[in-house]
Amino acid sequence: MSSPSAQPRPTRRIALRGDILHFLGDPGWGEDGGEAVRFEPDGWLLVEEGRVLGVQPADAPPDASWAREDWRGHLVLPGFIDPHVHAPQLDVIASFGATLLGWLERYTYAAEARFADPEQSQQGAERFLRALLSHGTTSAVVFATAHRHSSEALFTVAQRFGMRLITGKVLMDRNCPEELRDEVKQAERDCIESIERWHGVDRLAYAVTPRFAATSSPAQLSMAGRLLQAYERRAGGLYMQSHLAENRDEVQWIARLFPQSRSYLDVYAGAGLLTRRSVLAHGIWVDDADRALLARTGTSIAFSPSSNLFLGSGLFDWERARAACVQVAPASDVGGGTSLCQLRTLADGYKVLALQGQRMPAWAALHAVTRGAARTLELDHEIGHFGVGTIADVVVWRWADGAVQQRRQDMARSLHERLFAWMTLADEHNVAAVYVRGCKIPTDELWPAADADAQSHVFGDLGSAGLSSF
Ligand code: GUN
Ligand code: ZN
């Protein structure tokens, strides 16, 4: 059974005026993006029935049949794509003092267990997707929790926004708290029901989601692989998302759990989990044989620099991945990562690469979170650029928020310098407007007034003694 469409109806014809940037192809890693970069200063982005009709220069305005929105002096970009982020972990973003395995035990599992309550899942999905949009991201591959209703809530809310969203119930049947543990047969039934209901409906797709090799039994991993195979032909196939080789203790643990496997990646390969629609977060501690296997299967890596720095996991070597033809797209990995804004991911990514003597130009970076990410997800016909017929997911950004950003913009002598400074200094406060399928998301949906109730609850938990001691 499929859900009928519940997407908002886009305005018939709308023209956005501003500094329009997108990519016609891969700009490479040079400071000159060449023919792949399309920048139309003070241009017109024409959107008809939610799809891009074209980009025109300032001196070719649309006729009077077009509604116009004037974003002159703003940067107009395709909405960013986040290929790896955890919805329930907004509740534990920026938690102190742990590396991966301790962080999971101490903070993350407890936060996810609260989503056993369907009401919490629903509210969490609303909060998360609004936050994602307000940070300039319009499409994402998202971890829910082990509870089926948590992924159902994300699908329902994303459908209401008309968003491109890929998610699924987390699979975990061992080495985790009882409240989050599932069981192979029931998990399989849950996945199938959700796949039948959501996969390929509107802009939604299902991701088979074994958390990581440590929390799924070999039987559960095999079940996940069977699902991928069984639905190979349904709407281009299912996605698969998981984690890979993030932290050295984790890698050693996997080696003890799966002594027959050559490597961590090999565990997933053995279960039939590596496809062109597989996304593995991190992939820091891999070798050349792993890179060759990633490239051969078309599996992509979600490079998560903010998370890797925050949890002290290690430095991802993008140059080596590139040399081996591995597909890579930058990801926030919130709540290990500390911001939902992909500009912050890129700024951290630049620093992680700089520590290894690599330099990421603004072209490569901005391409990677738009058209490049879309390509890794086999969605570049739909999102990530303003090619004719793509869906108009658009974010309008302020070039500068505050005096420091303004001064830096004023001092820039080239477009690349301007964009690199922007990408490094800007964040979600620079977001001026968000359009999904050509529909502008109302301001009060994106930035709802602070929830006074939630605030008093937090202070109540701390207690007056705790507060006065600061
Ligand atoms: N490995 C297994 N689960 C997780 C998670 O929730 N976050 C991160 N960063 N790594 C993981
Ligand atoms: Zn993650």
Side-chain angles (χ1 to χ4, degrees):
M1 183 194 70
S2 280
S3 293
S5 172
Q7 296 190 116
R9 256 197 83 67
T11 319
R12 211 173 92 66
R13 286 180 139 190
I14 178 170
L16 309 185
R17 183 173 188 177
D19 299 331
I20 300 165
L21 175 72
H22 73 124
F23 295 92
L24 305 180
D26 188 340
W29 278 59
E31 245 179 89
D32 173 6
E35 295 295 303
V37 177
R38 173 94 192 263
F39 183 63
E40 199 63 69
D42 195 17
W44 296 96
L45 175 65
L46 306 184
V47 177
E48 191 171 49
E49 304 278 0
R51 289 187 183 265
V52 172
L53 197 74
V55 176
Q56 294 183 185
D59 59 5
D63 65 35
S65 67
W66 292 77
R68 297 173 181 211
E69 299 217 357
D70 190 352
W71 292 110
R72 265 177 285 183
H74 289 72
L75 181 59
V76 178
L77 283 173
F80 290 155
I81 300 163
D82 190 341
H84 182 82
V85 57
H86 298 254
Q89 293 180 16
L90 273 192
D91 293 5
V92 287
I93 188 173
S95 289
F96 173 74
T99 53
L100 174 65
L101 300 176
W103 175 81
L104 288 172
E105 297 275 343
R106 184 168 165 195
Y107 301 110
T108 316
Y109 290 152
E112 294 186 14
R114 285 200 288 275
F115 280 62
D117 173 2
E119 186 58 30
Q120 288 278 340
S121 280
Q122 191 61 35
Q123 288 172 8
E126 294 270 358
R127 197 162 43 235
F128 171 77
L129 290 176
R130 283 183 187 169
L132 199 67
L133 291 166
S134 71
H135 285 67
T137 294
T138 49
S139 299
V141 186
V142 181
F143 264 63
T145 67
H147 317 98
R148 180 180 162 211
H149 57 250
S150 72
S151 52
E152 297 279 314
L154 284 163
F155 281 128
T156 307
V157 179
Q159 187 181 44
R160 205 184 69 226
F161 280 120
M163 288 175 74
R164 159 56 68 178
L165 191 91
I166 300 165
T167 190
K169 166 206 137 46
V170 173
L171 299 168
M172 46 200 303
D173 68 346
R174 63 170 177 171
N175 295 320
C176 63
E178 184 62 39
E179 312 90 85
L180 292 175
R181 192 170 308 153
D182 59 12
E183 170 277 312
V184 179
K185 274 283 152 226
Q186 184 57 45
E188 184 175 24
R189 281 193 291 271
D190 286 347
C191 289
I192 288 171
E193 280 178 38
S194 290
I195 292 164
E196 295 287 340
R197 175 155 186 218
W198 296 107
H199 184 66
V201 172
D202 292 335
R203 305 182 68 193
L204 310 172
Y206 196 86
V208 176
T209 308
R211 180 176 209 114
F212 65 147
T215 46
S216 283
S217 62
Q220 189 172 60
L221 293 174
S222 300
M223 179 274 282
R226 282 198 307 276
L227 284 176
L228 294 184
Q229 215 175 22
Y231 287 94
E232 206 174 25
R233 289 181 209 292
R234 175 83 63 97
L238 303 177
Y239 289 84
M240 194 288 286
Q241 57 175 345
S242 191
H243 296 87
L244 171 74
E246 173 177 3
N247 161 297
R248 280 196 272 208
D249 293 339
E250 172 210 17
V251 173
Q252 285 171 10
W253 189 21
I254 302 300
R256 289 196 299 276
L257 289 171
F258 296 90
Q260 273 86 350
S261 295
R262 193 201 70 82
S263 69
Y264 192 155
L265 183 67
D266 202 37
V267 175
Y268 297 142
L273 291 172
L274 304 185
T275 78
R276 287 173 292 104
R277 290 192 164 198
S278 300
V279 182
L280 298 175
H282 312 297
I284 298 170
W285 306 103
V286 296
D287 61 17
D288 284 341
D290 291 327
R291 290 187 190 92
L293 181 56
L294 289 166
R296 201 163 60 244
T297 53
T299 301
S300 61
I301 292 291
F303 168 37
S304 308
S306 157
S307 169
N308 297 160
L309 292 170
F310 186 73
L311 296 176
S313 302
L315 306 177
F316 175 73
D317 188 339
W318 196 340
E319 195 167 283
R320 273 194 135 152
R322 224 157 26 97
C325 299
V326 177
Q327 302 206 70
V328 176
S332 73
D333 190 31
V334 160
T338 50
S339 172
L340 282 178
C341 184
Q342 285 290 61
L343 293 176
R344 304 270 42 79
T345 300
L346 295 178
D348 282 341
Y350 181 85
K351 295 167 198 167
V352 162
L353 297 172
L355 278 169
Q356 302 168 90
Q358 301 170 30
R359 296 287 183 265
M360 178 171 63
W363 306 130
L366 293 171
H367 172 261
V369 291
T370 54
R371 191 173 189 139
R375 197 167 64 113
T376 67
L377 300 172
E378 298 193 311
L379 289 173
D380 46 343
H381 58 285
E382 176 188 316
I383 50 173
H385 60 104
F386 295 142
V388 175
T390 56
I391 296 189
D393 293 343
V394 184
V395 178
V396 180
W397 299 85
R398 282 181 273 277
W399 277 106
D401 179 45
V404 171
Q405 290 181 24
Q406 189 58 59
R407 176 66 179 165
R408 186 65 187 88
Q409 286 298 314
D410 293 345
M411 296 306 286
R413 287 152 305 162
S414 69
L415 181 60
H416 184 266
E417 185 178 341
R418 204 175 171 200
L419 280 165
F420 182 76
W422 176 75
M423 165 193 123
T424 305
L425 299 175
D427 62 17
E428 67 274 17
H429 299 104
N430 294 61
V431 172
V434 179
Y435 297 79
V436 173
R437 273 176 80 246
C439 299
K440 188 161 155 195
I441 308 285
T443 303
D444 59 344
E445 286 250 23
L446 287 185
W447 296 284
D451 183 338
D453 249 22
Q455 298 227 347
S456 62
H457 170 70
V458 172
F459 290 140
D461 276 352
L462 275 175
S464 56
L467 276 178
S468 61
S469 67
F470 281 108

